[in-house]
Structures are given as C-alpha cells and as structure tokens.
Amino acid sequence: MAMQGVCFRGVGEVAWQEVAEPRLERPTDAIVAVEMAGLCGSDLHPYFGRETGLDPGTVMGHEFVGRVLEAGSGVTSVRPGDRVYAPFSTSCGTCATCRTGLTSRCEHGQLFGWISGGVGLHGGQAERVRVPLAEGTLKAVSAGLSSEAALLLGDNLGTAWYCAELAELRPDSVVVVIGCGSVGLLGIMAAQAEGVTRIVAVDPVPERRARAEALGVVACAPGPDVARLVASLGGARGADSVMEFVGLSAAQRLAWEVLRPGGVMAVIGCHSAPFAFSPSEAYDKNLTYRTGRCPARRQMERLTERVMRDLPHVAQVITHRFAPQDCVRAYDVFAHQRDGCVKAVFEF
Ligand SMILES: [Zn+2]
Ligand SMILES: [Zn+2]
C-alpha cells in the first residue's frame, strides 16, 4: 500500500509523490490523517540547500492538524477519531528534560520531516503521518479552536510566544521586534497579549511592515529610524527588550545597538554566523541574551486557552492556501515571498 506526500527531491525540488503507507511500529505510535499542514521557514533550509543531509524521498513538514486513524495499545490520551494537533518534534512527556518543561529537548524526541541516512521521521505534508510517542506528542483539538490556530500553536505561535517569554516583557516595556514574517507578526500579537503597547516592528519589506502596522504598532526598515522610533516611544536610552526573529548577523547587530544598558535580547532566529557583538560589548551593556528551540508541546498546553480567548485573529498570518498536489508552486511562492506570501498551508 502506498499514499501520497510532498517529498524532498533535492535542492529547490519537491514533488507530490507516492511514499510507503505509515503503520504502527510501536505500541506508543499513532497514525494521523492530515487535514492541514503548514509550510515553515525551516522547511526552506533544505529546500535552498542551506542545510544538507536530508534524504531524497523524505516527506516534508512539521506542522499539522488531523484526525487519529489508529493508535497503539500504549496510547490512551487520544483515540481513533479524535482531531489532534502536534508540535514540530515528538516528546515523551516523562523524561527528566520533558518534566522540566523543555519538551523540545526530549531525550527520546525526533523532528518531523527529517530523515538522514535512513534514520528519522517523515513529515506532516502527506495524507497520513506516523506519530511516535503519541501520548506525549499529540493533543486533542479543543472545541472552538480553529485548525489554523492549532497548527500555529504547534510551531510558529508557540515559538513567537516563547520569544516573548525569553524577552522578559513587562507592560511598560519598549520592545523592538526584528523580522515581520509569520513568527515575527505572531510575536507582536504575543507581546500585545502580555500587555505591551510600545512596540517598534522592523522589516525591510514594505508589505510586511504594513501587516505589523495593521496590528497597531509603529514600523520601519532596519537603520537609524529604529533608534528614533524607540526614543519617540520613551526609550531614550534604548529599548528594554528586543525580540529577534531573523537569525542573521545584521539583525543581531541591530538588536545590540538599539538595546538600552541592562536590556534583554531574545533570539529565536537560528544563527549560524559568529556573534555580531563581542563579549566585551555584551559586558559593557550588561546584556542578557536568551535563545533556544521553543518547547512547543508545553506551549500547546499553556497557551491554547489564552489564544482562544485573547488572539482570535492569529489565523490572519496565513496568507496562502494550496492543495498538496500543487506543492511545486506552493514552495516557490512561499520560498520567494511571491504575492505577499507570509505563511502558507496545504489543505487536504
Ligand atoms: Zn517550523
Ligand atoms: Zn521526554
């Protein structure tokens, strides 16, 4: 038996093609029929060849919402027929690291959509997906939670809110948000949900700044305008916190420059370049630097009720919807931000 999925073929190449039908391999597994799957910025690392080692034929994607088809005998928290959502990686929920809340560093966890040298897990951009450690990974979709919000909670929104937590926001903080893609825009919403009103959004792309402004914040391109806007909001010595969603040296340098002495830099963009400031510059600013992969499963637990209550508009970051059969075009549009694309999903 086989099914269809959006598969990695090589740099710049994906295809809707046949893959082996997933089956229960352990009593702790579940099989989920996918209803909606997200395209994420991290899917673009192998697509653009920035990250290597992904086996051709791997199903892409790590954001999905669907319905449980089968569950192993060791899975009691969800049952066949339940609608469920998942974080981007599996987690057992019981190891020492999971128990501290850092579910994204589960001792037994695996990322969806990453198979290298034959080892790993297929992703969620397929008709069906196998979910190991289903008990600690899947969560039933609450009544009233939209598919879009559930999908975002498993990655982009959970991550955005984690950045807001790392940034140690207070309602009177002056905050700079660098990068207004999907996660950055959701970061603005998270900061606002935490009561912050003085926010400067930074992005070089005018349409993305317009989206930030539509949320009620001021926005500008990277450059001297950032410090000017920060000062105009009362941050004469600089911003209290910066939420950095880009992951490039220039963004990190800008974050350092606009922070006040004693400020907090929360970094969610995954950096591969050296630090854009020196240890002595960090010392001279009494800088607090916080970073790391979001514990998305914990965020699903903590944030779902709040998102339903306080953020009914989260789904607006999803600008494009595609049939998975149309994946070549979907990846092209999403990867090159054509047609104002911020966030795209496949609907099955
Ligand atoms: Zn992602
Ligand atoms: Zn664990």
Side-chain angles (χ1 to χ4, degrees):
M1 264 250 295
M3 60 153 195
Q4 305 278 116
V6 176
C7 293
F8 179 73
R9 298 269 295 243
V11 174
E13 200 186 340
V14 294
W16 176 247
Q17 67 181 41
E18 234 175 65
V19 282
E21 181 74 37
R23 43 186 97 253
L24 298 177
E25 294 177 13
R26 294 184 176 196
T28 44
D29 288 357
I31 306 296
V32 172
V34 176
E35 296 174 354
M36 181 181 280
L39 283 90
C40 179
S42 341
D43 296 332
L44 299 181
H45 297 322
Y47 182 77
F48 280 132
R50 293 188 293 246
E51 196 170 28
T52 57
L54 182 62
D55 289 358
T58 302
V59 175
M60 300 287 287
H62 51 260
E63 302 176 353
F64 59 91
V65 176
R67 195 174 289 279
V68 177
L69 280 181
E70 282 181 85
S73 57
V75 182
T76 56
S77 57
V78 294
R79 298 311 308 156
D82 286 352
R83 293 193 63 241
V84 290
Y85 56 133
F88 51 76
S89 63
T90 63
S91 49
C92 71
T94 55
C95 72
T97 310
C98 279
R99 285 202 309 272
T100 68
L102 202 53
T103 53
S104 55
R105 298 294 175 195
C106 173
E107 292 161 27
H108 313 288
Q110 292 175 285
L111 285 171
F112 286 104
W114 190 263
I115 297 179
S116 189
V119 178
L121 271 188
H122 280 299
Q125 293 171 8
E127 292 174 304
R128 291 174 283 285
V129 58
R130 181 175 76 90
V131 180
L133 303 173
E135 180 102 7
T137 301
L138 297 174
K139 181 169 162 57
V141 176
S142 316
L145 180 68
S146 69
S147 297
E148 290 82 359
L151 182 109
L152 293 168
L153 271 161
D155 186 344
N156 290 184
L157 177 56
T159 297
W161 211 308
Y162 186 55
C163 188
E165 292 164 22
L166 296 179
E168 301 174 14
L169 305 181
R170 296 179 315 274
D172 64 346
S173 296
V174 176
V175 178
V176 173
V177 172
I178 301 180
C180 297
S182 166
V183 187
L185 291 170
L186 292 164
I188 293 170
M189 294 185 204
Q192 290 173 325
E194 297 293 357
V196 179
T197 57
R198 296 187 288 172
I199 299 172
V200 178
V202 183
D203 199 288
V205 181
E207 298 82 45
R208 294 189 171 209
R209 293 201 295 274
R211 286 183 182 278
E213 284 166 342
L215 295 172
V217 304
V218 293
C220 65
D225 283 348
V226 182
R228 264 201 291 278
L229 284 177
V230 166
S232 75
L233 292 179
R237 301 192 68 206
D240 300 300
S241 299
V242 175
M243 297 162 68
E244 199 270 88
F245 292 101
V246 176
L248 296 174
S249 296
Q252 195 179 55
R253 184 69 202 176
L254 175 65
W256 184 84
E257 283 167 3
V258 300
L259 269 176
R260 67 164 167 80
V264 181
M265 189 186 303
V267 177
I268 286 296
C270 183
H271 281 258
S272 50
F275 274 89
F277 49 85
S278 68
S280 65
E281 285 177 312
Y283 177 92
D284 288 345
K285 196 166 278 228
N286 284 50
L287 177 74
T288 297
Y289 179 91
R290 302 185 69 191
T291 190
R293 181 194 281 170
C294 166
R297 182 58 175 79
R298 182 201 66 159
Q299 298 294 72
M300 286 159 52
E301 209 62 58
R302 293 178 58 190
L303 297 175
T304 296
E305 293 298 321
R306 284 200 71 185
V307 167
M308 287 167 62
R309 192 182 65 224
D310 300 336
L311 294 180
H313 54 308
V314 280
Q316 73 182 50
V317 301
I318 297 173
T319 52
H320 288 66
R321 293 163 190 266
F322 295 93
Q325 294 82 350
D326 203 11
C327 62
V328 172
R329 191 168 69 91
Y331 267 82
D332 179 65
V333 167
F334 178 64
H336 300 100
Q337 301 171 17
R338 299 193 203 286
D339 184 27
C341 187
V342 172
K343 176 77 179 174
V345 295
F346 289 120
E347 291 180 308
F348 287 77

